[in-house]
């Protein structure tokens, strides 16, 4: 595993690096310009500890992504919301849930609606709480002040930052967390070099792909096939039609898909096409803009789904659901329970990536 040199990202800042979708408006000009992973062996993977529970919190951060994951002993944060919010909503959520330390922080990619709260969260946890254990990054830089300030915070607090690649395993206690993207070597696209991970707890599995689009979905399919199967899938690129292709969904075969996007998304997220593909496969959907913050709790076999608002989980009816009005930190109530359909989700062989060094 390579240590990512912070100076790589401190390039001349020219323009906001923002997520894009089909028919997107121009980028907002108001943003100012600018424990160590291991190789996965071919041995039969260890069974993750299933004592206690595993929680996944999709935080309602508008047109952005931020997800808290918790085992009995450790926490992980995948992305941190939009730069305009500057980490405020995520910090408030973490504090409300008594998160004193972030053991693993994944930066899926350098767009400002995914790392927008990174600087504030790193500063807060390194100065007022128990710190950040390690950060995992694709190592593909952006030319935005948001990205520069994120790396400044990493350097300021001397936080360990790893550049991850397909095949690496993140030592997230109680789980088996395997990186599925980016490839080696990565390309130039920020979206398609998003860090994607499958996280298995007992016989339940969750898949996160950042903003990976169809080209990278196809590459992951070629590399991993059915090993991408998951009970819960965090829909790529905020539910854009650039992601969640039919072939990819056939392999993942999720029971529930999470969409993290604003109710009045300027990009039209979630797009109709992926919602239709979910419906065709009997995949239920939850949307942060209508359900509010969403909590999945796994005991290794069953997964309970809790949402702040009791609205439909039918993908084709989400457009008619009212906007969530709850504060992101308000309690969520149980709506349904899903059962892992196959133990294969947690027990897939993966090929090793060679030549990995600290």
């Amino acid at each position: 595993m390579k240590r990512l040199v912070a100076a790589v990202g401190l390039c001349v800042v020219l323009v906001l690096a923002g997520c894009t979708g089909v028919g997107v408006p121009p980028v907002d000009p108001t943003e100012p310009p600018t424990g160590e992973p291991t190789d996965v062996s071919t041995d039969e993977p260890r069974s993750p500890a299933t004592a206690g529970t595993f929680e996944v919190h999709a935080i309602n951060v508008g047109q952005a992504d931020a997800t808290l994951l918790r085992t009995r002993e450790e926490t992980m944060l995948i992305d941190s919301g939009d730069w305009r919010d500057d980490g405020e909503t995520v910090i408030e959520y973490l504090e409300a849930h008594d998160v004193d330390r972030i053991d693993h922080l994944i930066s899926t990619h350098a767009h400002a609606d995914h790392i927008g709260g990174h600087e504030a969260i790193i500063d807060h946890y390194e100065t007022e709480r128990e710190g950040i254990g390690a950060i995992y990054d694709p190592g593909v830089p952006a030319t935005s002040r948001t990205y520069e300030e994120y790396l400044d915070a990493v350097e300021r607090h001397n936080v360990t930052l790893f550049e991850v690649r397909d095949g690496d395993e993140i030592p997230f206690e109680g789980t088996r967390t395997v990186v599925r993207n980016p490839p080696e070597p990565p390309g130039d696209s920020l979206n398609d070099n998003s860090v994607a991970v499958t996280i298995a707890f007992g016989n339940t599995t969750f898949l996160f792909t950042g903003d990976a689009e169809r080209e990278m979905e196809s590459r992951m399919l070629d590399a991993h096939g059915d090993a991408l199967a998951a009970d819960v899938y965090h829909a790529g690129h905020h539910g854009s039609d650039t992601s969640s292709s039919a072939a990819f969904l056939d392999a993942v075969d999720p029971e529930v898909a999470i969409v993290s996007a604003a109710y009045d998304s300027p990009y039209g997220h979630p797009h109709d096409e992926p919602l239709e593909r979910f419906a065709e496969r009997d995949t239920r959907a939850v949307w942060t803009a209508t359900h509010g913050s969403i909590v999945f709790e796994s005991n290794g076999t069953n997964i309970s789904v809790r949402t702040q608002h009791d609205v439909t989980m039918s993908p084709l009816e989400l457009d008619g659901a009212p906007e969530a009005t709850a504060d992101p930190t308000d309690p969520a109530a149980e709506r349904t329970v899903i059962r892992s359909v196959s133990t294969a989700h947690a027990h897939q062989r993966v090929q090793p990536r060679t030549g990995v060094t600290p």
Side-chain angles (χ1 to χ4, degrees), residues 25-155:
V27 294
D28 190 325
T30 62
E31 204 241 344
T34 57
E36 184 178 333
T38 59
D39 284 334
V40 181
S41 75
T42 53
D43 295 334
E44 192 68 28
R46 65 184 183 277
S47 296
T50 54
T53 58
F54 175 59
E55 297 178 2
V56 173
H57 299 240
I59 306 170
N60 184 9
V61 287
Q63 186 62 33
D65 269 342
T67 308
L68 166 68
L69 304 91
R70 306 181 73 166
T71 66
R72 182 176 57 179
E73 299 293 337
E74 291 190 342
T75 62
M76 174 181 284
L77 183 66
I78 302 177
D79 292 334
S80 61
D82 189 62
W83 65 272
R84 297 170 184 84
D85 187 59
D86 195 26
E88 182 177 342
T89 297
V90 175
I91 291 172
E92 184 180 1
Y93 193 94
L94 298 177
E95 293 283 0
H97 289 81
D98 300 319
V99 176
D100 293 325
R101 173 178 170 83
I102 300 172
D103 296 286
H104 310 278
L105 174 59
I106 292 181
S107 312
T108 60
H109 62 295
H111 280 149
D113 58 336
H114 290 257
I115 61 165
H118 271 40
E119 181 193 24
I121 289 167
I122 293 168
D123 281 342
H124 179 78
Y125 273 85
E126 286 291 322
T127 60
E128 300 185 34
R129 292 293 180 263
E130 297 179 11
I132 308 285
I135 300 175
Y136 309 88
D137 188 290
V140 181
T143 53
S144 70
R145 177 178 293 179
T146 300
Y147 182 73
E148 179 182 0
E149 291 174 343
Y150 151 46
L151 292 185
D152 284 346
V154 171
E155 187 174 23

Side-chain angles (χ1 to χ4, degrees), residues 158-169:
N158 196 29
V159 180
T160 300
L161 179 60
F162 291 109
E163 181 179 325
V164 294
R165 292 290 179 269
D166 182 357
D168 291 333
E169 184 166 348

Side-chain angles (χ1 to χ4, degrees), residues 146-271:
T146 300
Y147 182 73
E148 179 182 0
E149 291 174 343
Y150 151 46
L151 292 185
D152 284 346
V154 171
E155 187 174 23
R156 185 162 59 247
H157 298 289
N158 196 29
V159 180
T160 300
L161 179 60
F162 291 109
E163 181 179 325
V164 294
R165 292 290 179 269
D166 182 357
D168 291 333
E169 184 166 348
I170 296 174
F172 184 18
E173 186 274 337
T175 77
R176 184 160 189 255
T177 299
V178 181
V179 177
R180 305 299 189 183
N181 198 61
E184 179 65 70
D188 297 326
S189 165
L190 291 179
N191 283 352
D192 276 342
N193 286 292
S194 292
V195 176
V197 291
T198 51
I199 303 180
F201 180 81
N203 290 332
T204 61
T205 306
F206 298 76
L207 173 64
F208 304 86
T209 62
D211 280 356
E213 299 182 324
R214 294 185 182 191
E215 181 178 345
M216 280 302 102
E217 289 181 349
S218 178
R219 190 206 65 79
M220 286 189 280
L221 280 174
D222 289 343
H224 302 295
D226 291 343
L228 297 171
D231 302 293
V232 178
Y233 162 56
H234 195 295
H237 205 175
H238 315 281
S240 170
D241 191 34
T242 61
S243 307
S244 302
S245 64
F248 192 72
L249 289 178
D250 286 343
V252 178
D253 192 26
E255 291 290 310
V256 179
I258 305 168
V259 175
S260 182
Y263 192 78
D264 54 352
S265 166
Y267 310 109
H269 297 154
H271 292 153

